[in-house]
Amino acid sequence: MYMDEPEDREDLFQEIVLQLWKSYGTFRGESQISTWMYRVAVNSALTFFKKEKRKPDNTRMHDKMDLKDENDETHRETQLDYFYKAVQLLNPVEKALIFLFLEGQSHKEIGQNLGITEVNARVKLNRTKDKLQEIIKKQGYEF
C-alpha cells in the first residue's frame, strides 16, 4: 500500500525486515510483539521515504489506471481501484493511519503504533478519511 511499483514495494519490505532484525534485541516486552513490529515497520517506512526523498506523484488517477471495459469489471473492483490509487496520493503518515485502520486496530492501538495519543489518532484518521473521499471525488468517481 505504501509503494506503487513492485520493485519499490520489495525494497521497502527488505528495509522493514532488516530493521526488525537489527532492532529485535531492543524489544523490551512492554507491549505485544505485533505492536512493536507495526511500530518498527511504520517508522522504517517513514525513514525510507525521507531517505529516498520521494515526492508524491500528482498524475491524475485516470492517467495511471488501466481502464477496462465496465462489463468485465465489477462495481466493487472499480471502487477498490479508485481507493488504492487515492491511497497512493496520501503522505506516509496518512498511509500508515489507513493501513492500521484497515488492519482492524483501535484508535488506541493506532496511537501506540504511531507514537501519538488516542485522541490524536482519531482526529488524524477522520481527516485522512475525508481527504481520501475528496481525492476520489476530484478524480471523477463517487461511492
Side-chain angles (χ1 to χ4, degrees):
M1 184 151 87
Y2 279 95
M3 307 302 284
D4 202 24
E5 299 298 322
E7 297 84 15
D8 293 333
R9 283 193 297 269
E10 182 64 28
D11 288 346
L12 180 56
F13 174 77
Q14 289 178 4
E15 181 66 23
I16 290 170
V17 171
L18 175 67
Q19 292 306 318
L20 285 167
W21 181 261
K22 286 171 51 177
S23 61
Y24 181 73
T26 64
F27 177 61
R28 296 180 300 222
E30 295 174 0
S31 64
Q32 293 181 3
I33 191 138
S34 60
T35 301
W36 171 79
M37 290 175 71
Y38 272 121
R39 188 134 193 201
V40 170
V42 169
N43 287 336
S44 297
L46 294 175
T47 301
F48 185 82
F49 283 116
K50 288 177 187 173
K51 273 197 297 192
E52 298 296 318
K53 296 182 181 176
R54 296 187 188 276
K55 294 183 180 178
D57 184 4
N58 292 327
T59 309
R60 291 186 57 88
M61 283 188 285
H62 291 295
D63 298 337
K64 292 173 70 177
M65 288 183 60
D66 292 329
L67 296 178
K68 299 177 184 175
D69 186 341
E70 284 298 315
N71 295 330
D72 295 342
E73 192 169 294
T74 66
H75 182 66
R76 179 150 171 75
E77 289 172 340
T78 302
Q79 287 178 329
L80 285 173
D81 284 343
Y82 274 93
F83 173 76
Y84 285 119
K85 294 297 179 184
V87 167
Q88 292 302 317
L89 299 175
L90 298 175
N91 69 45
V93 174
E94 293 167 334
K95 287 180 183 179
L97 285 163
I98 292 297
F99 173 71
L100 295 171
F101 174 74
L102 292 174
E103 287 288 316
Q105 292 200 7
S106 68
H107 294 111
K108 183 178 181 179
E109 292 169 321
I110 292 171
Q112 289 172 342
N113 285 322
L114 297 179
I116 59 178
T117 66
E118 180 180 351
V119 172
N120 197 0
R122 181 178 286 115
V123 170
K124 285 180 179 284
L125 182 59
N126 285 332
R127 288 180 182 162
T128 301
K129 288 178 187 177
D130 291 342
K131 184 175 179 179
L132 268 176
Q133 286 180 338
E134 285 303 310
I135 290 170
I136 291 168
K137 285 178 186 177
K138 285 180 184 177
Q139 298 304 323
Y141 191 85
E142 210 168 323
F143 292 113

mmCIF file with all atom_site columns, all heavy atoms in Angstrom, residues 123-143:
data_model
loop_
_atom_site.group_PDB
_atom_site.id
_atom_site.type_symbol
_atom_site.label_atom_id
_atom_site.label_alt_id
_atom_site.label_comp_id
_atom_site.label_asym_id
_atom_site.label_entity_id
_atom_site.label_seq_id
_atom_site.pdbx_PDB_ins_code
_atom_site.Cartn_x
_atom_site.Cartn_y
_atom_site.Cartn_z
_atom_site.occupancy
_atom_site.B_iso_or_equiv
_atom_site.pdbx_formal_charge
_atom_site.auth_seq_id
_atom_site.auth_comp_id
_atom_site.auth_asym_id
_atom_site.auth_atom_id
_atom_site.pdbx_PDB_model_num
ATOM 1   N N   . VAL A 1 123 ? -8.521  11.857 15.450  1.00 0.00 ? 123 VAL A N   1
ATOM 2   C CA  . VAL A 1 123 ? -8.669  13.078 14.656  1.00 0.00 ? 123 VAL A CA  1
ATOM 3   C C   . VAL A 1 123 ? -7.951  12.934 13.315  1.00 0.00 ? 123 VAL A C   1
ATOM 4   O O   . VAL A 1 123 ? -8.514  13.229 12.255  1.00 0.00 ? 123 VAL A O   1
ATOM 5   C CB  . VAL A 1 123 ? -8.136  14.302 15.440  1.00 0.00 ? 123 VAL A CB  1
ATOM 6   C CG1 . VAL A 1 123 ? -8.043  15.526 14.551  1.00 0.00 ? 123 VAL A CG1 1
ATOM 7   C CG2 . VAL A 1 123 ? -9.020  14.586 16.647  1.00 0.00 ? 123 VAL A CG2 1
ATOM 8   N N   . LYS A 1 124 ? -6.701  12.464 13.356  1.00 0.00 ? 124 LYS A N   1
ATOM 9   C CA  . LYS A 1 124 ? -5.927  12.307 12.124  1.00 0.00 ? 124 LYS A CA  1
ATOM 10  C C   . LYS A 1 124 ? -6.577  11.292 11.184  1.00 0.00 ? 124 LYS A C   1
ATOM 11  O O   . LYS A 1 124 ? -6.601  11.491 9.970   1.00 0.00 ? 124 LYS A O   1
ATOM 12  C CB  . LYS A 1 124 ? -4.493  11.874 12.434  1.00 0.00 ? 124 LYS A CB  1
ATOM 13  C CG  . LYS A 1 124 ? -3.610  12.982 12.981  1.00 0.00 ? 124 LYS A CG  1
ATOM 14  C CD  . LYS A 1 124 ? -2.206  12.449 13.245  1.00 0.00 ? 124 LYS A CD  1
ATOM 15  C CE  . LYS A 1 124 ? -1.288  13.503 13.761  1.00 0.00 ? 124 LYS A CE  1
ATOM 16  N NZ  . LYS A 1 124 ? -0.829  14.419 12.735  1.00 0.00 ? 124 LYS A NZ  1
ATOM 17  N N   . LEU A 1 125 ? -7.114  10.217 11.749  1.00 0.00 ? 125 LEU A N   1
ATOM 18  C CA  . LEU A 1 125 ? -7.756  9.205  10.918  1.00 0.00 ? 125 LEU A CA  1
ATOM 19  C C   . LEU A 1 125 ? -9.006  9.771  10.247  1.00 0.00 ? 125 LEU A C   1
ATOM 20  O O   . LEU A 1 125 ? -9.221  9.560  9.048   1.00 0.00 ? 125 LEU A O   1
ATOM 21  C CB  . LEU A 1 125 ? -8.105  7.966  11.745  1.00 0.00 ? 125 LEU A CB  1
ATOM 22  C CG  . LEU A 1 125 ? -8.750  6.815  10.984  1.00 0.00 ? 125 LEU A CG  1
ATOM 23  C CD1 . LEU A 1 125 ? -7.840  6.324  9.863   1.00 0.00 ? 125 LEU A CD1 1
ATOM 24  C CD2 . LEU A 1 125 ? -9.077  5.677  11.932  1.00 0.00 ? 125 LEU A CD2 1
ATOM 25  N N   . ASN A 1 126 ? -9.818  10.506 10.987  1.00 0.00 ? 126 ASN A N   1
ATOM 26  C CA  . ASN A 1 126 ? -11.016 11.111 10.391  1.00 0.00 ? 126 ASN A CA  1
ATOM 27  C C   . ASN A 1 126 ? -10.645 12.102 9.299   1.00 0.00 ? 126 ASN A C   1
ATOM 28  O O   . ASN A 1 126 ? -11.286 12.133 8.245   1.00 0.00 ? 126 ASN A O   1
ATOM 29  C CB  . ASN A 1 126 ? -11.875 11.773 11.464  1.00 0.00 ? 126 ASN A CB  1
ATOM 30  C CG  . ASN A 1 126 ? -12.631 10.756 12.297  1.00 0.00 ? 126 ASN A CG  1
ATOM 31  O OD1 . ASN A 1 126 ? -12.938 9.672  11.823  1.00 0.00 ? 126 ASN A OD1 1
ATOM 32  N ND2 . ASN A 1 126 ? -12.922 11.101 13.535  1.00 0.00 ? 126 ASN A ND2 1
ATOM 33  N N   . ARG A 1 127 ? -9.628  12.898 9.526   1.00 0.00 ? 127 ARG A N   1
ATOM 34  C CA  . ARG A 1 127 ? -9.185  13.844 8.496   1.00 0.00 ? 127 ARG A CA  1
ATOM 35  C C   . ARG A 1 127 ? -8.652  13.119 7.267   1.00 0.00 ? 127 ARG A C   1
ATOM 36  O O   . ARG A 1 127 ? -8.875  13.537 6.129   1.00 0.00 ? 127 ARG A O   1
ATOM 37  C CB  . ARG A 1 127 ? -8.117  14.774 9.066   1.00 0.00 ? 127 ARG A CB  1
ATOM 38  C CG  . ARG A 1 127 ? -8.682  15.782 10.034  1.00 0.00 ? 127 ARG A CG  1
ATOM 39  C CD  . ARG A 1 127 ? -7.624  16.696 10.580  1.00 0.00 ? 127 ARG A CD  1
ATOM 40  N NE  . ARG A 1 127 ? -8.200  17.628 11.553  1.00 0.00 ? 127 ARG A NE  1
ATOM 41  C CZ  . ARG A 1 127 ? -7.515  18.314 12.431  1.00 0.00 ? 127 ARG A CZ  1
ATOM 42  N NH1 . ARG A 1 127 ? -6.198  18.189 12.491  1.00 0.00 ? 127 ARG A NH1 1
ATOM 43  N NH2 . ARG A 1 127 ? -8.115  19.135 13.262  1.00 0.00 ? 127 ARG A NH2 1
ATOM 44  N N   . THR A 1 128 ? -7.951  12.018 7.499   1.00 0.00 ? 128 THR A N   1
ATOM 45  C CA  . THR A 1 128 ? -7.412  11.245 6.380   1.00 0.00 ? 128 THR A CA  1
ATOM 46  C C   . THR A 1 128 ? -8.537  10.594 5.579   1.00 0.00 ? 128 THR A C   1
ATOM 47  O O   . THR A 1 128 ? -8.495  10.569 4.346   1.00 0.00 ? 128 THR A O   1
ATOM 48  C CB  . THR A 1 128 ? -6.420  10.185 6.889   1.00 0.00 ? 128 THR A CB  1
ATOM 49  O OG1 . THR A 1 128 ? -5.359  10.846 7.598   1.00 0.00 ? 128 THR A OG1 1
ATOM 50  C CG2 . THR A 1 128 ? -5.828  9.380  5.751   1.00 0.00 ? 128 THR A CG2 1
ATOM 51  N N   . LYS A 1 129 ? -9.562  10.096 6.249   1.00 0.00 ? 129 LYS A N   1
ATOM 52  C CA  . LYS A 1 129 ? -10.720 9.534  5.544   1.00 0.00 ? 129 LYS A CA  1
ATOM 53  C C   . LYS A 1 129 ? -11.393 10.601 4.693   1.00 0.00 ? 129 LYS A C   1
ATOM 54  O O   . LYS A 1 129 ? -11.757 10.344 3.535   1.00 0.00 ? 129 LYS A O   1
ATOM 55  C CB  . LYS A 1 129 ? -11.731 8.966  6.546   1.00 0.00 ? 129 LYS A CB  1
ATOM 56  C CG  . LYS A 1 129 ? -11.300 7.682  7.216   1.00 0.00 ? 129 LYS A CG  1
ATOM 57  C CD  . LYS A 1 129 ? -12.381 7.274  8.210   1.00 0.00 ? 129 LYS A CD  1
ATOM 58  C CE  . LYS A 1 129 ? -12.044 6.126  9.064   1.00 0.00 ? 129 LYS A CE  1
ATOM 59  N NZ  . LYS A 1 129 ? -13.109 5.820  10.049  1.00 0.00 ? 129 LYS A NZ  1
ATOM 60  N N   . ASP A 1 130 ? -11.559 11.802 5.255   1.00 0.00 ? 130 ASP A N   1
ATOM 61  C CA  . ASP A 1 130 ? -12.158 12.904 4.494   1.00 0.00 ? 130 ASP A CA  1
ATOM 62  C C   . ASP A 1 130 ? -11.293 13.252 3.285   1.00 0.00 ? 130 ASP A C   1
ATOM 63  O O   . ASP A 1 130 ? -11.807 13.499 2.192   1.00 0.00 ? 130 ASP A O   1
ATOM 64  C CB  . ASP A 1 130 ? -12.329 14.145 5.378   1.00 0.00 ? 130 ASP A CB  1
ATOM 65  C CG  . ASP A 1 130 ? -13.399 13.971 6.450   1.00 0.00 ? 130 ASP A CG  1
ATOM 66  O OD1 . ASP A 1 130 ? -14.241 13.053 6.321   1.00 0.00 ? 130 ASP A OD1 1
ATOM 67  O OD2 . ASP A 1 130 ? -13.383 14.754 7.430   1.00 0.00 ? 130 ASP A OD2 1
ATOM 68  N N   . LYS A 1 131 ? -9.984  13.264 3.488   1.00 0.00 ? 131 LYS A N   1
ATOM 69  C CA  . LYS A 1 131 ? -9.059  13.575 2.393   1.00 0.00 ? 131 LYS A CA  1
ATOM 70  C C   . LYS A 1 131 ? -9.168  12.525 1.288   1.00 0.00 ? 131 LYS A C   1
ATOM 71  O O   . LYS A 1 131 ? -9.192  12.871 0.100   1.00 0.00 ? 131 LYS A O   1
ATOM 72  C CB  . LYS A 1 131 ? -7.628  13.646 2.924   1.00 0.00 ? 131 LYS A CB  1
ATOM 73  C CG  . LYS A 1 131 ? -6.611  14.063 1.890   1.00 0.00 ? 131 LYS A CG  1
ATOM 74  C CD  . LYS A 1 131 ? -5.237  14.221 2.524   1.00 0.00 ? 131 LYS A CD  1
ATOM 75  C CE  . LYS A 1 131 ? -4.197  14.603 1.495   1.00 0.00 ? 131 LYS A CE  1
ATOM 76  N NZ  . LYS A 1 131 ? -2.861  14.778 2.127   1.00 0.00 ? 131 LYS A NZ  1
ATOM 77  N N   . LEU A 1 132 ? -9.260  11.255 1.662   1.00 0.00 ? 132 LEU A N   1
ATOM 78  C CA  . LEU A 1 132 ? -9.427  10.188 0.673   1.00 0.00 ? 132 LEU A CA  1
ATOM 79  C C   . LEU A 1 132 ? -10.696 10.383 -0.145  1.00 0.00 ? 132 LEU A C   1
ATOM 80  O O   . LEU A 1 132 ? -10.685 10.241 -1.372  1.00 0.00 ? 132 LEU A O   1
ATOM 81  C CB  . LEU A 1 132 ? -9.478  8.825  1.366   1.00 0.00 ? 132 LEU A CB  1
ATOM 82  C CG  . LEU A 1 132 ? -8.188  8.061  1.531   1.00 0.00 ? 132 LEU A CG  1
ATOM 83  C CD1 . LEU A 1 132 ? -8.416  6.790  2.325   1.00 0.00 ? 132 LEU A CD1 1
ATOM 84  C CD2 . LEU A 1 132 ? -7.536  7.765  0.208   1.00 0.00 ? 132 LEU A CD2 1
ATOM 85  N N   . GLN A 1 133 ? -11.790 10.704 0.532   1.00 0.00 ? 133 GLN A N   1
ATOM 86  C CA  . GLN A 1 133 ? -13.050 10.932 -0.180  1.00 0.00 ? 133 GLN A CA  1
ATOM 87  C C   . GLN A 1 133 ? -12.913 12.086 -1.166  1.00 0.00 ? 133 GLN A C   1
ATOM 88  O O   . GLN A 1 133 ? -13.403 12.011 -2.295  1.00 0.00 ? 133 GLN A O   1
ATOM 89  C CB  . GLN A 1 133 ? -14.178 11.214 0.810   1.00 0.00 ? 133 GLN A CB  1
ATOM 90  C CG  . GLN A 1 133 ? -14.642 9.985  1.545   1.00 0.00 ? 133 GLN A CG  1
ATOM 91  C CD  . GLN A 1 133 ? -15.764 10.283 2.529   1.00 0.00 ? 133 GLN A CD  1
ATOM 92  O OE1 . GLN A 1 133 ? -15.943 11.415 2.972   1.00 0.00 ? 133 GLN A OE1 1
ATOM 93  N NE2 . GLN A 1 133 ? -16.518 9.265  2.872   1.00 0.00 ? 133 GLN A NE2 1
ATOM 94  N N   . GLU A 1 134 ? -12.252 13.159 -0.752  1.00 0.00 ? 134 GLU A N   1
ATOM 95  C CA  . GLU A 1 134 ? -12.065 14.308 -1.635  1.00 0.00 ? 134 GLU A CA  1
ATOM 96  C C   . GLU A 1 134 ? -11.205 13.944 -2.843  1.00 0.00 ? 134 GLU A C   1
ATOM 97  O O   . GLU A 1 134 ? -11.508 14.359 -3.970  1.00 0.00 ? 134 GLU A O   1
ATOM 98  C CB  . GLU A 1 134 ? -11.441 15.482 -0.874  1.00 0.00 ? 134 GLU A CB  1
ATOM 99  C CG  . GLU A 1 134 ? -12.410 16.190 0.032   1.00 0.00 ? 134 GLU A CG  1
ATOM 100 C CD  . GLU A 1 134 ? -13.636 16.707 -0.712  1.00 0.00 ? 134 GLU A CD  1
ATOM 101 O OE1 . GLU A 1 134 ? -13.488 17.373 -1.761  1.00 0.00 ? 134 GLU A OE1 1
ATOM 102 O OE2 . GLU A 1 134 ? -14.761 16.433 -0.250  1.00 0.00 ? 134 GLU A OE2 1
ATOM 103 N N   . ILE A 1 135 ? -10.149 13.188 -2.623  1.00 0.00 ? 135 ILE A N   1
ATOM 104 C CA  . ILE A 1 135 ? -9.283  12.769 -3.733  1.00 0.00 ? 135 ILE A CA  1
ATOM 105 C C   . ILE A 1 135 ? -10.089 11.956 -4.734  1.00 0.00 ? 135 ILE A C   1
ATOM 106 O O   . ILE A 1 135 ? -10.009 12.178 -5.943  1.00 0.00 ? 135 ILE A O   1
ATOM 107 C CB  . ILE A 1 135 ? -8.075  11.955 -3.205  1.00 0.00 ? 135 ILE A CB  1
ATOM 108 C CG1 . ILE A 1 135 ? -7.117  12.851 -2.432  1.00 0.00 ? 135 ILE A CG1 1
ATOM 109 C CG2 . ILE A 1 135 ? -7.345  11.267 -4.364  1.00 0.00 ? 135 ILE A CG2 1
ATOM 110 C CD1 . ILE A 1 135 ? -6.031  12.094 -1.675  1.00 0.00 ? 135 ILE A CD1 1
ATOM 111 N N   . ILE A 1 136 ? -10.872 11.019 -4.224  1.00 0.00 ? 136 ILE A N   1
ATOM 112 C CA  . ILE A 1 136 ? -11.664 10.159 -5.104  1.00 0.00 ? 136 ILE A CA  1
ATOM 113 C C   . ILE A 1 136 ? -12.707 10.982 -5.873  1.00 0.00 ? 136 ILE A C   1
ATOM 114 O O   . ILE A 1 136 ? -12.885 10.808 -7.079  1.00 0.00 ? 136 ILE A O   1
ATOM 115 C CB  . ILE A 1 136 ? -12.319 9.020  -4.295  1.00 0.00 ? 136 ILE A CB  1
ATOM 116 C CG1 . ILE A 1 136 ? -11.238 8.052  -3.802  1.00 0.00 ? 136 ILE A CG1 1
ATOM 117 C CG2 . ILE A 1 136 ? -13.362 8.287  -5.122  1.00 0.00 ? 136 ILE A CG2 1
ATOM 118 C CD1 . ILE A 1 136 ? -11.703 7.058  -2.760  1.00 0.00 ? 136 ILE A CD1 1
ATOM 119 N N   . LYS A 1 137 ? -13.358 11.920 -5.200  1.00 0.00 ? 137 LYS A N   1
ATOM 120 C CA  . LYS A 1 137 ? -14.344 12.772 -5.867  1.00 0.00 ? 137 LYS A CA  1
ATOM 121 C C   . LYS A 1 137 ? -13.693 13.630 -6.946  1.00 0.00 ? 137 LYS A C   1
ATOM 122 O O   . LYS A 1 137 ? -14.242 13.797 -8.038  1.00 0.00 ? 137 LYS A O   1
ATOM 123 C CB  . LYS A 1 137 ? -15.050 13.670 -4.853  1.00 0.00 ? 137 LYS A CB  1
ATOM 124 C CG  . LYS A 1 137 ? -16.065 12.953 -4.004  1.00 0.00 ? 137 LYS A CG  1
ATOM 125 C CD  . LYS A 1 137 ? -16.691 13.892 -2.990  1.00 0.00 ? 137 LYS A CD  1
ATOM 126 C CE  . LYS A 1 137 ? -17.606 13.147 -2.049  1.00 0.00 ? 137 LYS A CE  1
ATOM 127 N NZ  . LYS A 1 137 ? -18.156 14.037 -1.012  1.00 0.00 ? 137 LYS A NZ  1
ATOM 128 N N   . LYS A 1 138 ? -12.519 14.188 -6.644  1.00 0.00 ? 138 LYS A N   1
ATOM 129 C CA  . LYS A 1 138 ? -11.824 15.026 -7.627  1.00 0.00 ? 138 LYS A CA  1
ATOM 130 C C   . LYS A 1 138 ? -11.423 14.244 -8.861  1.00 0.00 ? 138 LYS A C   1
ATOM 131 O O   . LYS A 1 138 ? -11.256 14.806 -9.931  1.00 0.00 ? 138 LYS A O   1
ATOM 132 C CB  . LYS A 1 138 ? -10.581 15.660 -7.003  1.00 0.00 ? 138 LYS A CB  1
ATOM 133 C CG  . LYS A 1 138 ? -10.907 16.796 -6.063  1.00 0.00 ? 138 LYS A CG  1
ATOM 134 C CD  . LYS A 1 138 ? -9.655  17.399 -5.480  1.00 0.00 ? 138 LYS A CD  1
ATOM 135 C CE  . LYS A 1 138 ? -10.007 18.478 -4.472  1.00 0.00 ? 138 LYS A CE  1
ATOM 136 N NZ  . LYS A 1 138 ? -8.807  19.042 -3.823  1.00 0.00 ? 138 LYS A NZ  1
ATOM 137 N N   . GLN A 1 139 ? -11.249 12.944 -8.713  1.00 0.00 ? 139 GLN A N   1
ATOM 138 C CA  . GLN A 1 139 ? -10.872 12.122 -9.838  1.00 0.00 ? 139 GLN A CA  1
ATOM 139 C C   . GLN A 1 139 ? -12.077 11.601 -10.622 1.00 0.00 ? 139 GLN A C   1
ATOM 140 O O   . GLN A 1 139 ? -11.942 10.798 -11.523 1.00 0.00 ? 139 GLN A O   1
ATOM 141 C CB  . GLN A 1 139 ? -9.991  10.947 -9.366  1.00 0.00 ? 139 GLN A CB  1
ATOM 142 C CG  . GLN A 1 139 ? -8.692  11.397 -8.733  1.00 0.00 ? 139 GLN A CG  1
ATOM 143 C CD  . GLN A 1 139 ? -7.869  12.282 -9.655  1.00 0.00 ? 139 GLN A CD  1
ATOM 144 O OE1 . GLN A 1 139 ? -7.813  12.074 -10.872 1.00 0.00 ? 139 GLN A OE1 1
ATOM 145 N NE2 . GLN A 1 139 ? -7.245  13.296 -9.088  1.00 0.00 ? 139 GLN A NE2 1
ATOM 146 N N   . GLY A 1 140 ? -13.253 12.050 -10.220 1.00 0.00 ? 140 GLY A N   1
ATOM 147 C CA  . GLY A 1 140 ? -14.454 11.755 -11.001 1.00 0.00 ? 140 GLY A CA  1
ATOM 148 C C   . GLY A 1 140 ? -15.201 10.505 -10.607 1.00 0.00 ? 140 GLY A C   1
ATOM 149 O O   . GLY A 1 140 ? -16.033 10.025 -11.380 1.00 0.00 ? 140 GLY A O   1
ATOM 150 N N   . TYR A 1 141 ? -14.949 9.992  -9.442  1.00 0.00 ? 141 TYR A N   1
ATOM 151 C CA  . TYR A 1 141 ? -15.671 8.796  -9.005  1.00 0.00 ? 141 TYR A CA  1
ATOM 152 C C   . TYR A 1 141 ? -16.217 9.056  -7.614  1.00 0.00 ? 141 TYR A C   1
ATOM 153 O O   . TYR A 1 141 ? -15.540 9.621  -6.769  1.00 0.00 ? 141 TYR A O   1
ATOM 154 C CB  . TYR A 1 141 ? -14.756 7.573  -8.965  1.00 0.00 ? 141 TYR A CB  1
ATOM 155 C CG  . TYR A 1 141 ? -15.516 6.280  -8.775  1.00 0.00 ? 141 TYR A CG  1
ATOM 156 C CD1 . TYR A 1 141 ? -16.058 5.614  -9.851  1.00 0.00 ? 141 TYR A CD1 1
ATOM 157 C CD2 . TYR A 1 141 ? -15.710 5.760  -7.501  1.00 0.00 ? 141 TYR A CD2 1
ATOM 158 C CE1 . TYR A 1 141 ? -16.773 4.443  -9.682  1.00 0.00 ? 141 TYR A CE1 1
ATOM 159 C CE2 . TYR A 1 141 ? -16.432 4.587  -7.318  1.00 0.00 ? 141 TYR A CE2 1
ATOM 160 C CZ  . TYR A 1 141 ? -16.949 3.928  -8.409  1.00 0.00 ? 141 TYR A CZ  1
ATOM 161 O OH  . TYR A 1 141 ? -17.661 2.782  -8.238  1.00 0.00 ? 141 TYR A OH  1
ATOM 162 N N   . GLU A 1 142 ? -17.440 8.627  -7.398  1.00 0.00 ? 142 GLU A N   1
ATOM 163 C CA  . GLU A 1 142 ? -18.054 8.796  -6.091  1.00 0.00 ? 142 GLU A CA  1
ATOM 164 C C   . GLU A 1 142 ? -18.712 7.495  -5.681  1.00 0.00 ? 142 GLU A C   1
ATOM 165 O O   . GLU A 1 142 ? -19.408 6.868  -6.473  1.00 0.00 ? 142 GLU A O   1
ATOM 166 C CB  . GLU A 1 142 ? -19.101 9.919  -6.140  1.00 0.00 ? 142 GLU A CB  1
ATOM 167 C CG  . GLU A 1 142 ? -19.245 10.630 -4.829  1.00 0.00 ? 142 GLU A CG  1
ATOM 168 C CD  . GLU A 1 142 ? -20.047 11.906 -4.970  1.00 0.00 ? 142 GLU A CD  1
ATOM 169 O OE1 . GLU A 1 142 ? -19.916 12.605 -5.981  1.00 0.00 ? 142 GLU A OE1 1
ATOM 170 O OE2 . GLU A 1 142 ? -20.808 12.173 -4.041  1.00 0.00 ? 142 GLU A OE2 1
ATOM 171 N N   . PHE A 1 143 ? -18.453 7.054  -4.462  1.00 0.00 ? 143 PHE A N   1
ATOM 172 C CA  . PHE A 1 143 ? -19.017 5.795  -3.969  1.00 0.00 ? 143 PHE A CA  1
ATOM 173 C C   . PHE A 1 143 ? -20.478 5.970  -3.673  1.00 0.00 ? 143 PHE A C   1
ATOM 174 O O   . PHE A 1 143 ? -20.947 6.939  -3.218  1.00 0.00 ? 143 PHE A O   1
ATOM 175 C CB  . PHE A 1 143 ? -18.287 5.308  -2.707  1.00 0.00 ? 143 PHE A CB  1
ATOM 176 C CG  . PHE A 1 143 ? -16.864 4.891  -2.986  1.00 0.00 ? 143 PHE A CG  1
ATOM 177 C CD1 . PHE A 1 143 ? -15.804 5.619  -2.475  1.00 0.00 ? 143 PHE A CD1 1
ATOM 178 C CD2 . PHE A 1 143 ? -16.607 3.788  -3.758  1.00 0.00 ? 143 PHE A CD2 1
ATOM 179 C CE1 . PHE A 1 143 ? -14.508 5.230  -2.720  1.00 0.00 ? 143 PHE A CE1 1
ATOM 180 C CE2 . PHE A 1 143 ? -15.305 3.390  -4.001  1.00 0.00 ? 143 PHE A CE2 1
ATOM 181 C CZ  . PHE A 1 143 ? -14.256 4.121  -3.493  1.00 0.00 ? 143 PHE A CZ  1
#
